[in-house]
Amino acid sequence: MNVLVPLPFALPLLGAAFALIVRRRDTLLRIVAPLVVTGVVAAAGALVAAVARDGVIAVQLGGWAAPLGITLVADRLSTLLVTVSAVVLLAIMVHGVGEGVGGLGEHEPGVFYPAYLTLTAGVCLLFLAGDLFNLFVAFEVMLASSYVLLTLSPSRERVQAGMTYTAVSLTSSILFLTAIGLTYAATGTVNLADLSTRTAELPAGTRTALAMLFLVVFGIKSAIVPMHLWLPDSYPAALTQITAVFAALLTKAAVYSLIRVETLLFPRDALSWPMLGLAALTLLVGTLGALTHDDVHRVLSFTLVGHIGYMLFGLSLFTVAGLTGAILYLVHHIIVQATLFLVSDLMQGLTGEISLTRLRGLAAVSPFVSVLFFIPALSVSGVPPTSGFIAKLALFQAGVGSGSVAAYAVTGVAVLASLLTLMAMSRVWALAFWRTPAELPERPHDAAAQGGIRVMRTVTAAMVCVGLLIPAFAGPLTDWSHRAATELLNPAPYVQAVLGER
Amino acid sequence: MTGPTVTLMAAVAVLFATGFHLMLQRSLVRIVVGFMLLGHGANLALLLAGGPSGAPPLLGGKDDREMADPLPQAMALTAIVITFGVTAFLLALAYRSRLLTGEDEVQDDVEDRRICAEERADPDTWTGDPVEGNQEPSRRDEPGGGESGGSEPGERPPGERPPGGGG
């Protein structure tokens, strides 16, 4: 059972090493890499079952005792996120395989697959890490491979975006490292469970300074306004399926870290004013930004920034209901954001365009793609009965139930942001899917390309269906999220699993 | 004991200040150097977090002094390896950027420029660059029209290869 915990990141790391060895054999890469990610999905599923049975599982790598060694912890929140991420990573990997087999992709398989598998390993390690330094290493593994993926088949625009992205990410990483050093200087440990018992003894000033530093670190990484400026400039430049991975997972991994650190290290009884303010600002700036842009990828990137505000709002309430909403929103948003970018890849494949002024008449050109866009677009705007509605409803209930005037106000902002998202999505729909179709460019007609397009369409349709599974299984999922939120606010079982009986 | 520690703290402060200053520049090389300085500052801060120096942390040693804390040293070593690798990548990226754009500067974002340009009601009164920082008006249309030749062939480095040629 304990072997299961390291598997989600050990498997893809070994896979990446193997992929590097056989990097010149494209067919072998295209068979092995999806198999490895399928293995990760299976391991994550088994981990969910194990956690449901036994509660929090902690593993000390190498057998070194808890506060000193490398600790991995699987609890309800981390296993849920590992599973959802693994499913999304698998879908996008298969999409990439379809694109490659069809000869439609620009990426070089010998670079794409090892980097992608390393990214998978980084994401899984990040969710399972039990100490701050390991979290930092996981971020670096994830980001280092993302630098490579962003600049795949480097054009002038991509290198420019890559430079912005790399410089900003590295700045936040350096701040993270400094925060770890300061935490160690103040408490003498970096183990999260150990820290949760020691931060309470710190002077209030030190605690606040550390909490603020961590908020800035993860705020940059998760693109919370006003630290979001790098995201809409860099993500749209990458290949579309890479943008899908980034939008789905990288910012959400930072939100997860923020939730983990704020609840374990700096627990509080009342809501957090700075976070509440930032959440409102993020919601407004992100969704308003989505209304001004012309490039579909930028519209979606700004929606992504805006919707980080929902998760921050749930966290800032510091109640079980708020955290339940934040966790549900994390799951919903990982899936829906990946789906939207995959659909925009299909739109780009049909027309060769991503500009809203030049995209037109897609509903007549391909009703299938229109449906694929329509469902996640409704979901991200929170129209019932989609997954976005479930997650937003949980958040709004938490905001209204908290009984504070500030929380009421931000709930109002959240409703407004939801309407603004609907407006942005309607704008995309009206401009790109309605109007008279334009002349379409010549599409490749050979059998391989047709097969590749079929794979890409199937994957996107499957992702839309996964998104529809959330409202279908809303009961068990909400129950699981509720328990995960309870664990977050009452970390005694977590601490006991890591440090043992004291 | 306080002497060296205060000196190290001052060194961390100077490294952070110069590092951030350089990161805010437009030149890519300065950004890379700024990142290196920041990395050194953070690693030094990690070492400082371990407290005063002491005996080597080996069991059964003959040194009677109190042992130094090995954990921050291990973390600093890991962080050095990471910053080293990433610096190499940054340098490669800066070099590739120089090859592709012909200059060692961060360019303005194309979409930002478009929106800035839209805000100007009358294009005829628009004389300067929409975004401050790019001084010469002749470089205004560059990001849009790559075919016009972003740079003179003469100002490229001698070892230039076509984009994508660097294995």
Side-chain angles (χ1 to χ4, degrees), chain A residues 174-473:
Chain A
I174 292 293
L175 286 178
F176 193 6
L177 201 58
T178 316
I180 291 174
L182 294 178
T183 313
Y184 189 83
T187 60
T189 180
V190 288
N191 187 294
L192 284 172
D194 203 14
L195 273 173
S196 75
T197 56
R198 293 202 196 181
T199 42
E201 299 155 12
L202 289 178
T206 317
R207 249 170 76 97
T208 314
L210 284 178
M212 285 294 142
L213 195 50
F214 277 113
L215 183 60
V216 170
V217 167
F218 296 127
I220 296 175
K221 287 186 197 289
S222 62
I224 292 170
V225 176
M227 297 165 272
H228 70 290
L229 295 166
W230 58 273
L231 192 145
D233 281 355
S234 57
Y235 277 16
L239 299 171
T240 313
Q241 84 235 26
I242 307 286
T243 315
V245 187
F246 287 9
L249 296 176
L250 300 199
T251 46
K252 257 53 121 247
V255 172
Y256 161 81
S257 314
L258 188 63
I259 292 179
R260 184 64 89 197
V261 166
E262 293 292 333
T263 52
L264 264 180
L265 267 57
F266 312 105
R268 48 195 303 148
D269 302 325
L271 53 83
S272 157
W273 280 90
M275 276 198 241
L276 206 58
L278 286 178
L281 196 65
T282 309
L283 283 166
L284 281 180
V285 171
T287 44
L288 284 177
L291 282 170
T292 59
H293 278 271
D294 177 54
D295 177 329
V296 175
H297 288 182
R298 282 188 188 244
V299 171
L300 293 177
S301 298
F302 265 102
T303 332
L304 165 66
V305 171
H307 285 225
I308 295 294
Y310 283 107
M311 296 160 232
L312 192 62
F313 170 51
L315 170 63
S316 68
L317 295 175
F318 279 95
T319 57
V320 173
L323 281 169
T324 309
I327 295 168
L328 278 175
Y329 211 93
L330 268 172
V331 173
H332 144 73
H333 206 247
I334 288 178
I335 292 171
V336 83
Q337 199 72 43
T339 317
L340 278 172
F341 272 108
L342 288 183
V343 178
S344 92
D345 191 39
L346 290 183
M347 289 157 63
Q348 208 178 343
L350 280 174
T351 58
E353 279 294 340
I354 45 165
S355 157
L356 279 177
T357 42
R358 287 192 291 266
L359 271 173
R360 50 201 301 149
L362 274 173
V365 174
S366 170
F368 182 66
V369 173
S370 314
V371 172
L372 289 188
F373 177 80
F374 189 68
I375 296 172
L378 286 189
S379 179
V380 81
S381 330
V383 175
T386 54
S387 59
F389 172 69
I390 311 274
K392 283 199 176 89
L393 185 68
L395 277 176
F396 296 164
Q397 279 178 337
V400 172
S402 70
S404 138
V405 180
Y408 290 158
V410 180
T411 312
V413 173
V415 174
L416 180 68
S418 176
L419 290 175
L420 286 173
T421 313
L422 185 60
M423 220 169 120
M425 288 299 131
S426 317
R427 184 167 156 265
V428 174
W429 180 260
L431 288 177
F433 287 86
W434 285 347
R435 307 199 288 181
T436 334
E439 293 263 327
L440 286 186
E442 197 65 28
R443 288 172 63 195
H445 283 296
D446 58 295
Q450 291 299 331
I453 291 173
R454 211 167 293 131
V455 171
M456 284 152 67
R457 287 184 167 211
T458 316
V459 167
T460 314
M463 282 297 291
V464 172
C465 293
V466 170
L468 289 175
L469 281 180
I470 296 180
F473 292 96

Side-chain angles (χ1 to χ4, degrees), chain A residues 97-142:
Chain A
V97 170
E99 199 170 41
V101 170
L104 306 157
E106 300 171 65
H107 61 250
E108 199 174 318
V111 185
F112 173 73
Y113 290 103
Y116 192 92
L117 287 172
T118 321
L119 183 90
T120 310
V123 170
C124 293
L125 177 61
L126 197 150
F127 290 133
L128 295 170
D131 60 77
L132 276 180
F133 196 74
N134 217 6
L135 194 67
F136 167 74
V137 173
F139 261 113
E140 287 309 302
V141 171
M142 181 179 90

Side-chain angles (χ1 to χ4, degrees), chain B residues 31-52:
Chain B
I31 291 175
V32 175
V33 173
F35 167 69
M36 286 158 74
L37 291 183
L38 277 181
H40 294 329
N43 286 326
L44 209 52
L46 263 185
L47 274 187
L48 271 175

